[in-house]
Structures are given as C-alpha cells and as structure tokens.
Amino acid sequence: MKNYLKHDEWKIIETGFVPEYNRNSESVMSIGNGRMGMRANFEEQYSGDTLQGNYIAGIYYPDKTRVGWWKIGYPEYFAKVLNAPNWIGINIEIEGESLDLAKCKVEDFRRELNMKEGYLERSFKATLSDGKQVEVISRRFLSIVDDEAGAIRYQLKALNFSGSIRVTPYIDADIMNEDANYDEKFWEGIENKNHKGEGYVTAMTRKTEFFVCTAMKYTILKNGKQKELDSVLNERNKYLENVVEIDVKENDELTILKYGAVVHSMNHSRHDLMNVAQKVLYTAFEKGFNKMMEEQREAWDQKWQKSDIQIEGDVAAQQGIRFNIFMLNQTYTGEDERLNIGPKGFTGEKYGGSTYWDTEAYCLPFYLRTSDVKVPRNLLVYRYKHVQKAIENAEKLGFTNGAALYPMVTMNGEESHNEWEITMEEIHRNGAIAHAIYNYINYTGDEHYLAEYGLEVLIAISRFWSQRVNWSEAKQKYVMLGVTGPNEYENNVNNNWYTSTMACWVMEYTMQAIDYVKRADHKRYKDIVEKCRFEENAETERWKEVINNMYFPYDDKKQIFLQQEGYLDKEQLTVDDIPEKEKPINQHWSWDRILRSCFIKQADVLQGIYFFEDKYEKDTIRRNYDFYEPRTVHESSLSPCVHSILAAELGYTEKAYEFYLRTARLDLDDYNNDTEDGCHVTSMAGTYMSVVEGFGGMRVRNGQLHFNPFIPPQWKSYSFMTLFRGWRIRVKVMAGKVFIWNHSGEEAKLYVAGKEYTIPAEEELSIGK
C-alpha cells in the first residue's frame, strides 16, 4: 500500500514530487470525457520514468498474438486501444536549458485532480542547473460539452532572472504502446499542416485503418497581454511544432493557452477530418479557456447531482467513493452504442482497453441508477450487435446451430484474448451477459427489450450451454468439464458451481423470455424463430433436461456449494496463514503453487450467491461466506465489492466497511501494487454498489423498490440519489434514522425494512427517532 495522497472530499492531491510514485499519480489523476482520455503526464519534457498515455474510445489495433504454443481456437490478435497522438506537449527551454523535472531541483510541487469540476492542475517551483528559477501553474481538462476538444492554461513565471524563454507547443503522433507485442509502432503518418499558432496532424492506424486528425491552436500572453506570435515552424513525419522565443524580465509571467481537437473516421468522413478538426478547434478557441471551464463546471455539476454519494464523518471514505464515481462518469457517457468500458478506462494500456464481462456484471448497475435509461440500454445493444461474432467465436471451438460464446476480450465482437485457460475456459462470461439483460429489465421494466434485442442473444447463449455440457454415466448427471470460474487461480476444473449455476439459470430465463415475447409480440417472435432457425419444442426440451439433471458439487458435511469438484482435496488454509512478505501471492508465488493452493483470487461461489441471493436462505449464504471469504486473497479488483455487499446482508458490519474501504481506495492507496498500470475502472462500479446495495440495502423485487439500510459506525451519515422508472429518489441514512426524498412529479411507493411506504411527489419520508 501507498499512502502519499492527501485526504480531501473533492480532490486528489499529491504534494511533493517523488519520481517513484509518478506513474501511480499519472494513473490516478487521469482525465477523460467519454470520447477520449489521458494520463496525468506533464506538458513539458520529462526524461524520468513515465507512461505516456492518450486514448481515443473505439480506436484500436489488432496486435498479433504472442504465445509459445499455438493451439486451434486461439485468437489471431489481442485488441489494444492505442496510445494516441499527444497534443498536450509544451516544451520549455530557458536560456537553452530544458525545463525537465527529472533534472532540476523541484520545490512546492502539487498535482491535483479536481473531481467536482473536472480538471487537472499542477504547480511547482523549479531551479535549473545555473540557478535560474521558474514557477509553473498548469490546468487542463477534456471538455464534456465539446467532447472532441480540450484546453490547457500553462502559466510560467521568471522568479529571479531576465533572459530568453523558448516555448514549443507540439503534436506528436510518432508514439507507441509500451505493451506492444512486437515493439511495433501502430500509427502511419498521412498529412501535416503547420501554421503560425496552429497545426494539424492526420495519422492512420495500421491494419484497422482508423484515421485520426489531432489539432492544436494556441496563444501566448505576457503579463496578461497577448503576444504577436513570431513562430518558427518545424515538422517531420507524424510530428509538428511551433517554436516561439520570448524575452522576459524578472517576475514576468507567460500564459500559454493551448486548445486541442481530436476527430476521427468513426464519426466523420476521413477525407474531411482536417476541416472538421479546424471547426472544433476554432469553436474552442473562440469560447476561450474561461468560458470552456465554466461550461465544464456546470456539466460536472449536473453529473454529480445524479450520481454523488455523500458521506459525513469519514473523509477517506468520501474521497474514495467520489473518485470511483468520477472515473466512471468520465469513462463512459452512453452516447454511442459502439463504445464500451475497458477495465482501465482511459488510465493505462493494461487489458488493452477492451471490453470484458466486467461491464455487464459490475458497470451496468451503476449506470442503471445514475443515468438516463438509454445509457445502460446502449451497453446491452453493444452486445446484441456482436451476437453474430459470438456465434462465429463458438464455431471456432466446434459449437454448432447458432450457439454463441461471447468473447472474454473484444473490441469488435471477435475474441482477442490469448491465454487458453481464459479464452476457451472462462465461459461464465456468457452468463454475465445474459444476466445483464435480466438486470436491465428487472430494474427499468423495459420488457420490450426482450422482443427487440434480448431474446436473440438469450437463445444463442442457451444453445451454447446445452452443447457445452455432457452426460456422465458415472454420475448419471450432466457435467461441465474443463472450465475456469471467476477465480482465475484455478484452471481447467470440472463442474465449477458458479458456471453451472449460471448455465442453468440462463436456459431457464430464456424459456421465460420466450413465453413473454410469444404473448406480447407474436409476430416478432415468429421473425426471431425464422431468423435464428429456432426449433422451440426440441431445443427447450433439451434445456429442461439439462436443468433438471445438472450436477452441482456440494459438501454435505459443511453444507456448502463446492467451488468445483475436488476443491476440498486441496490443503485447506486461510489467508491469515500466508506470511505478509508473500502477499500478494501473484507477485511472490509460482503459478504452479497458486494453482495447487486453495486460495481464491475473487468471489466465485459468492459471485453466484450475490447474483441470486433471493434464491438462498440467509443461513446458506452465511455458511458459504464464512467458508470462502477467509480463503479469498482479493487480488482481483472485482472481489472486495461483492464481499462487502454480502457482508452487509449478513450483518457483518465491520467486514462490510473493511471491504468497502478497500474497493473504494484500491487505486488511491495502491492495495495490489499495480496502480501504475492504470486504475481499475470497471470495478469502481462495484464500489458504488457497496454503498447503495450494501449499506443502503437497495434491491428491486417484483418491480418494487426496496431499502434495508444501516450505517457503519465510522460514519455520521451517508446519502445517495437513485433513478428508478422515472423517479428520482434521494436516501439519507443516520444512526437510527432514515430520510427519503421523492424528487419526482408523481408519488412513489417503496419498501423500507419490509414495510411499504407511499411518498407524495416532491415530499419527504422520515423513519426513526
């Protein structure tokens, strides 16, 4: 763990420059606007350790798979969201010496992410080798109003000298990914246009042929007065710069206002990109930095009104939850159904920026509660539009008859993960995608989605499950062999309880969906039958047979669901038995040792119990939780939130709070020693759910909204807003008291601790002393 960031309710603050923490801070203070994002790199040159990162949603490269032993069914590539052209650069030279924080004395360093208003700010004093001192204050943001634009205000003051300062704003598309499999560069230069005060670089991704035009326009003020730009223009393939020499006297201040535009061929004709970029750029320039900043502030205020969670009495917890919500809101806006949410968002290269099952299992509930219904709906439509690719993925593994296996990792629907135990075995992702359809409809009441999109997906997934099992003569049951469950510290196991449970549930839910669509829209149902070549009687009989005869491993003595067959053959230890110096085990143990151990990376059995808790008695949940949680090392970012929610349900208040704080501050405190690679964005939705579902006890049952809240003793109060079927409900919880506001134009009927209440429009309910 690292504990160098200051606790503040609305800001992430780093004081004092420690180069060893730079990559961490670059991750944690990343900014984005749904269309694009960037790490908190310096504008000026930095020769120290850094991970340069600019990212554009949807722009990727199919990096050829690199494996030692190729197996049939392997994907040919790993999809990677690319490190995109860098437009933030402003190099500074003072009397010929570069301003480089790796080479000069740095004082009063402060880097700050303002989450309330959506900007990154940095300030410092630097002493160069010859004793000259400068003070710098920079602020930048990516506009969520003009989402193809961003702006920088870079202020530099000469503290103790008179002389010449060279300012070099530039665009650099000659960049690469640090995680490139073959050390390739993925961009080809197409065209540069370089003028005094502005420039344009158009580049194309190799293979995928996405065209991106990156543009800059800037002005320089000296002591508040605009300077006439006498620029020297330099350029080469994929790079251009303007060089401006300015004479200054002691205490003179320069202000560089730089605007960036990023447009691409997913949204515009590739032949018109420079014209489009110029329009975006000039719109930003004409508004000016202050106007754009004001719009940014107002736009973020609207987002916070819908999604903020307020915690009184615990600054660390408050900062943690707002950090998680901020990252989610700046990563995905739901405006474009072609886009999805990568595990690292716009904060780093790891996991390729591609789509995983995290979206359906963790992110969807956040957007259901905080966004217009089109936002979570678009997440589902994204998968619907990939169903044919999912069928092709299954065909590559030998499945037939329109069976679909959704990819573990994808950008376009094709599988692009290159580890066999994940690609071919971690098939439970199919269940998460189906469960997301149920979750969406259960929450919104939008049953029409089944007829429009959902049923086709469910049929294809159910076909997969019915083919993936086989009949065991020995057990006289259907079995699911050779799988990897959510616990990736087990591979190639038989009868993983979670995977088998999800398979049976999906087939059962698909039959319910068929009955609904037949009744509600018979014509559409007939179209689906014809399109999918669906043989209802034969196929549903097969599904029923599998459901009724599936083998689920269970231990009668302990009365627990077994994670997989043979799990109890392992030496049964708990996490307390692992020496502290050997944690995390994935950074200290061999893979062989991990696989043979009983230790669990993340919720596996408990993931299934979380999804279907209403099916199980509380004693059943408690026995499984008490057995599996002590064996769980939580070395996946997706793990603590599920355990926090279940602990809250069981009344384990301290455990619920412990896991909440761990998930909320996972990246801020670098629990798993991996934040330098980027933040764990998709798991952040689980942090939100730890409060709303865990402490708030929020559930939707039979179309009705339920709360069963309690408050951790470390807090004085907490409150959250949730959207539900046209209602805007705000809940505030204090010790012994609950307040619920209905900020809607109609009355709201809901349940608190099992008791029904009716709250008139725009009125408040108070429960307790």
Side-chain angles (χ1 to χ4, degrees):
M1 282 179 59
K2 299 179 178 68
N3 191 25
Y4 70 98
L5 298 172
K6 304 297 182 185
H7 290 183
D8 184 276
E9 292 186 350
W10 278 109
K11 299 174 181 178
I12 310 300
I13 302 169
E14 173 189 20
T15 57
F17 183 52
V18 180
E20 291 77 13
Y21 292 166
N22 185 49
R23 285 196 180 216
N24 269 60
S25 297
E26 288 177 340
S27 297
V28 166
M29 300 194 198
S30 298
I31 56 175
N33 64 6
R35 291 282 182 197
M36 57 182 169
M38 60 178 61
R39 290 169 61 83
N41 306 124
F42 300 162
E43 290 87 2
E44 73 279 353
Q45 175 184 338
Y46 181 64
S47 60
D49 186 34
T50 179
L51 175 61
Q52 185 69 40
N54 292 270
Y55 310 101
I56 306 170
I59 304 296
Y60 71 97
Y61 177 81
D63 201 8
K64 185 179 178 183
T65 298
R66 187 168 192 164
V67 293
W69 178 20
W70 189 274
K71 300 175 181 66
I72 294 174
Y74 259 5
E76 295 182 2
Y77 65 88
F78 188 86
K80 293 177 178 176
V81 169
L82 301 184
N83 187 6
N86 172 26
W87 65 266
I88 68 168
I90 305 172
N91 284 341
I92 304 294
E93 290 181 46
I94 300 165
E95 295 287 310
E97 182 176 352
S98 294
L99 177 60
D100 181 345
L101 297 197
K103 296 179 179 179
C104 57
K105 181 181 176 182
V106 181
E107 299 174 282
D108 299 335
F109 181 91
R110 181 182 177 99
R111 181 161 34 182
E112 173 185 304
L113 177 67
N114 186 309
M115 301 180 290
K116 187 174 186 179
E117 300 181 6
Y119 66 82
L120 172 66
E121 190 161 271
R122 183 170 56 102
S123 60
F124 60 88
K125 292 179 182 177
T127 304
L128 279 64
S129 62
D130 61 1
K132 292 185 175 65
Q133 292 182 325
V134 294
E135 181 181 62
V136 171
I137 304 174
S138 69
R139 178 184 290 193
R140 74 172 184 257
F141 60 91
L142 294 173
S143 173
I144 57 174
V145 176
D146 302 304
D147 62 8
E148 294 174 314
I152 302 169
R153 184 179 66 203
Y154 192 94
Q155 298 167 289
L156 183 147
K157 187 175 184 179
L159 294 179
N160 66 349
F161 69 93
S162 298
S164 175
I165 295 179
R166 176 178 292 178
V167 178
T168 306
Y170 66 86
I171 299 172
D172 185 9
D174 192 20
I175 37 80
M176 65 182 297
N177 275 47
E178 191 172 79
D179 68 349
N181 284 345
Y182 297 92
D183 297 324
E184 298 173 281
K185 290 186 176 181
F186 302 142
W187 293 93
E188 294 182 2
I190 300 298
E191 184 181 7
N192 291 358
K193 284 190 178 179
N194 200 4
H195 310 289
K196 288 186 178 182
E198 65 187 276
Y200 305 81
V201 175
T202 301
M204 179 191 75
T205 60
R206 297 174 55 212
K207 296 185 180 179
T208 45
E209 295 189 355
F210 292 107
F211 287 74
V212 175
C213 182
T214 307
M216 70 172 186
K217 187 172 178 62
Y218 68 94
T219 188
I220 299 176
L221 290 74
K222 179 177 175 181
N223 299 326
K225 295 182 180 179
Q226 188 165 330
K227 287 280 295 179
E228 184 71 28
L229 296 178
D230 185 15
S231 308
V232 175
L233 310 182
N234 300 315
E235 63 179 282
R236 58 179 184 269
N237 185 35
K238 298 187 283 187
Y239 178 90
L240 60 77
E241 65 183 20
N242 278 204
V243 181
V244 184
E245 296 271 1
I246 303 171
D247 291 328
V248 297
K249 295 179 180 179
E250 186 174 336
N251 291 322
D252 278 354
E253 182 176 83
L254 302 181
T255 301
I256 301 108
L257 298 172
K258 184 177 182 183
Y259 304 87
V262 179
V263 300
H264 52 81
S265 55
M266 284 181 66
N267 297 327
H268 308 283
S269 167
R270 74 184 203 186
H271 304 294
D272 200 34
L273 286 181
M274 281 199 175
N275 290 332
V276 174
Q278 186 179 57
K279 290 178 183 177
V280 172
L281 198 58
Y282 277 50
T283 296
F285 190 81
E286 288 166 10
K287 282 185 179 181
F289 187 90
N290 291 338
K291 176 64 174 175
M292 289 183 71
M293 188 69 251
E294 180 184 341
E295 291 178 347
Q296 181 84 340
R297 190 177 297 115
E298 292 172 355
W300 270 104
D301 182 63
Q302 291 298 310
K303 286 185 177 290
W304 285 116
Q305 285 184 35
K306 291 182 179 180
S307 59
D308 190 24
I309 290 177
Q310 298 176 12
I311 297 171
E312 185 183 6
D314 189 337
V315 176
Q318 177 68 88
Q319 183 186 48
I321 190 61
R322 282 187 172 141
F323 173 68
N324 285 252
I325 294 169
F326 176 81
M327 283 289 177
L328 289 162
N329 277 330
Q330 71 171 4
T331 299
Y332 182 76
T333 62
E335 297 296 325
D336 190 336
E337 65 190 28
R338 298 170 299 175
L339 303 180
N340 209 280
I341 308 160
K344 295 291 184 183
F346 297 125
T347 70
E349 298 175 3
K350 194 172 181 180
Y351 302 118
S354 301
T355 303
Y356 285 63
W357 69 288
D358 308 22
T359 293
E360 286 75 23
Y362 295 87
C363 295
L364 182 79
F366 170 79
Y367 294 105
L368 280 171
R369 289 157 176 78
T370 62
S371 309
D372 183 88
V373 72
K374 74 174 183 179
V375 174
R377 202 175 203 269
N378 275 347
L379 287 174
L380 300 186
V381 171
Y382 174 90
R383 292 294 194 178
Y384 170 78
K385 293 195 170 181
H386 288 173
V387 69
Q388 187 55 44
K389 288 287 188 182
I391 291 171
E392 293 170 12
N393 290 334
E395 288 174 349
K396 292 175 183 177
L397 301 184
F399 294 88
T400 61
N401 191 37
L405 176 59
Y406 275 89
M408 188 68 181
V409 176
T410 194
M411 286 297 300
N412 63 1
E414 288 183 303
E415 177 63 76
S416 65
H417 196 286
N418 55 14
E419 296 172 353
W420 66 269
E421 68 273 18
I422 306 299
T423 303
M424 302 177 187
E425 292 197 342
E426 201 164 342
I427 54 178
H428 66 81
R429 67 226 190 210
N430 256 8
I433 290 164
H435 189 265
I437 296 172
Y438 163 81
N439 204 0
Y440 167 80
I441 293 169
N442 184 53
Y443 195 88
T444 65
D446 179 15
E447 291 184 305
H448 180 65
Y449 183 82
L450 280 174
E452 189 174 3
Y453 297 117
L455 184 55
E456 290 182 51
V457 172
L458 292 171
I459 288 172
I461 292 176
S462 291
R463 283 171 162 172
F464 172 83
W465 289 127
S466 72
Q467 294 179 42
R468 185 59 173 77
V469 299
N470 65 272
W471 179 255
S472 166
E473 287 293 336
K475 289 183 169 63
Q476 289 294 294
K477 293 282 186 179
Y478 284 100
V479 293
M480 185 91 70
L481 306 180
V483 302
T484 296
N487 172 27
E488 293 171 339
Y489 289 176
E490 298 272 11
N491 300 148
N492 201 39
V493 302
N494 294 336
N495 301 308
N496 172 258
W497 180 87
Y498 172 78
T499 304
S500 298
T501 297
M502 289 299 287
C504 289
W505 176 85
V506 172
M507 290 184 282
E508 187 175 349
Y509 180 56
T510 302
M511 289 187 285
Q512 295 171 10
I514 289 167
D515 289 342
Y516 171 78
V517 176
K518 283 169 68 175
R519 294 193 313 270
D521 192 343
H522 193 70
K523 181 180 182 303
R524 172 61 181 153
Y525 178 71
K526 289 177 66 177
D527 291 341
I528 293 171
V529 167
E530 182 177 351
K531 180 180 179 181
C532 299
R533 298 180 182 177
F534 181 53
E535 297 180 11
E536 180 183 344
N537 292 336
E539 295 193 54
T540 56
E541 283 303 311
R542 164 69 175 178
W543 300 346
K544 291 174 186 176
E545 182 186 358
V546 173
I547 293 168
N548 293 331
N549 294 281
M550 180 68 86
Y551 174 72
F552 297 98
Y554 185 81
D555 185 75
D556 291 317
K557 184 177 179 180
K558 298 182 184 298
Q559 293 185 288
I560 59 169
F561 307 123
L562 289 182
Q563 182 175 273
Q564 73 264 354
E565 199 168 1
Y567 178 78
L568 290 181
D569 291 337
K570 294 171 176 283
E571 182 183 11
Q572 292 300 313
L573 304 172
T574 68
V575 174
D576 289 341
D577 296 316
I578 305 173
E580 284 300 317
K581 66 181 181 180
E582 296 181 17
K583 297 176 184 177
I585 62 173
N586 64 14
Q587 295 176 24
H588 293 91
W589 287 14
S590 71
W591 191 240
D592 169 75
R593 186 180 179 188
I594 289 173
L595 290 176
R596 288 187 290 106
S597 79
C598 70
F599 295 118
I600 301 167
K601 180 182 180 184
Q602 67 193 78
D604 196 304
V605 168
L606 297 183
Q607 182 77 42
I609 289 176
Y610 163 67
F611 275 153
F612 306 120
E613 66 172 352
D614 286 346
K615 293 176 60 176
Y616 306 111
E617 295 179 355
K618 189 162 288 189
D619 284 346
T620 299
I621 298 173
R622 189 182 307 279
R623 285 194 301 273
N624 281 275
Y625 185 94
D626 289 348
F627 180 79
Y628 285 110
E629 191 284 316
R631 291 161 172 77
T632 304
V633 291
H634 304 290
E635 290 175 11
S636 165
S637 63
L638 302 175
S639 187
C641 61
V642 172
H643 288 83
S644 178
I645 293 167
L646 290 178
E649 174 70 15
L650 293 170
Y652 297 165
T653 304
E654 284 302 316
K655 275 289 185 185
Y657 176 78
E658 173 192 333
F659 286 126
Y660 161 75
L661 206 59
R662 178 165 181 161
T663 189
R665 299 194 62 83
L666 182 74
D667 292 308
L668 293 177
D669 295 337
D670 197 15
Y671 269 84
N672 290 342
N673 195 32
D674 60 0
T675 302
E676 66 179 25
D677 298 327
C679 295
H680 300 82
V681 173
T682 47
S683 71
M684 292 177 177
T687 308
Y688 176 90
M689 300 314 299
S690 295
V691 176
V692 174
E693 288 189 6
F695 304 139
M698 180 177 169
R699 304 289 190 274
V700 177
R701 298 187 174 104
N702 300 317
Q704 302 293 322
L705 196 56
H706 290 250
F707 298 97
N708 189 26
F710 76 94
I711 185 166
Q714 294 86 348
W715 300 353
K716 294 180 180 178
S717 72
Y718 68 93
S719 65
F720 59 87
M721 180 77 74
T722 189
L723 306 178
F724 179 73
R725 301 191 182 189
W727 301 344
R728 292 181 70 241
I729 303 295
R730 182 169 175 253
V731 178
K732 183 174 183 178
V733 182
M734 305 172 68
K737 203 159 190 177
V738 178
F739 300 91
I740 302 179
W741 289 267
N742 176 16
H743 297 295
S744 311
E746 60 183 86
E747 70 176 23
K749 292 184 178 180
L750 47 79
Y751 293 79
V752 179
K755 184 178 179 180
E756 183 177 2
Y757 295 90
T758 299
I759 312 176
E762 302 297 344
E763 291 199 16
E764 170 192 343
L765 169 68
S766 176
I767 303 171
K769 298 178 182 178

